[in-house]
Amino acid sequence: QTFLATTVLSLLTLITGKLWDIIRSTPIGSERRLLTTQLITIALTMLFSAYQFIQGARLMTHAGFMFPTAKNGSTKVDNIMRRTQTCQWAGLRGLYISLAPICWAIGGPRAFFASALMLLQFFRVIDKKPEGLGYEEFQAIDI
């Protein structure tokens, strides 16, 4: 998860640098506002994604120093691992959503519309919220 967070932040740095140069060299005020809006939407989605990945790594590190003590039911470690999984899922979702504003900045409104339709299909069919970690199997055989 830390790798994903640093990758997202590195991509954001590259995109911000390129868009910032374009914004500074644009003399037209309305076009400058559009580019600024595009940069803000890209930055917000990618920062949300990186934040979720970092929180997942923090929780995973915290859980690494804990030991499950209860044989039945959920333990603190189980709860932390489920929260970690949810953080990673939210981080990936934020990364996927950032694709639409990036397409908007690169290809204009038609590319944004096409990427939004593809993302909508992806989220409806492929991407599913995490359900469980499979600890139920281990609890059933008393490990």
Side-chain angles (χ1 to χ4, degrees), residues 10 21 31 49 53 58 74 76 80 88 104 119 124 134:
S10 298
D21 287 342
E31 194 172 323
S49 175
F53 288 136
R58 180 186 66 84
S74 64
K76 279 190 172 188
I80 290 173
Q88 182 169 357
W104 181 30
L119 285 171
R124 248 188 49 227

Side-chain angles (χ1 to χ4, degrees), residues 71 133-143:
K71 289 187 178 182
L133 296 175
Y135 287 122
E136 298 81 16
E137 298 169 8
F138 294 116
Q139 290 175 353
I141 57 176
D142 219 24
I143 292 179

Side-chain angles (χ1 to χ4, degrees), residues 15-140:
I15 292 168
T16 301
K18 184 65 175 168
L19 277 176
W20 187 252
D21 287 342
I22 294 171
I23 289 170
R24 285 189 350 192
S25 66
T26 302
I28 302 169
S30 61
E31 194 172 323
R32 184 177 264 184
R33 281 189 297 273
L34 176 67
L35 288 169
T36 304
T37 303
Q38 291 172 344
L39 177 60
I40 289 171
T41 56
I42 292 169
L44 286 176
T45 55
M46 293 188 93
L47 285 174
F48 171 79
S49 175
Y51 174 78
Q52 291 298 324
F53 288 136
I54 290 170
Q55 289 305 310
R58 180 186 66 84
L59 289 168
M60 184 75 78
T61 303
H62 182 66
F65 294 104
M66 299 176 77
F67 299 101
T69 55
K71 289 187 178 182
N72 298 345
S74 64
T75 62
K76 279 190 172 188
V77 176
D78 291 335
N79 292 335
I80 290 173
M81 293 303 291
R82 290 181 202 289
R83 285 180 51 200
T84 300
Q85 184 181 19
T86 302
C87 284
Q88 182 169 357
W89 173 77
L92 286 172
R93 186 163 268 208
L95 184 60
Y96 300 149
I97 289 173
S98 70
L99 180 65
I102 291 171
C103 286
W104 181 30
I106 293 172
R110 288 185 182 177
F112 175 75
F113 182 70
S115 66
L117 288 178
M118 288 188 296
L119 285 171
L120 182 65
Q121 183 67 13
F122 172 76
F123 287 135
R124 248 188 49 227
V125 176
I126 298 171
D127 186 46
K128 301 292 181 196
K129 187 174 181 178
E131 294 176 10
L133 296 175
Y135 287 122
E136 298 81 16
E137 298 169 8
F138 294 116
Q139 290 175 353

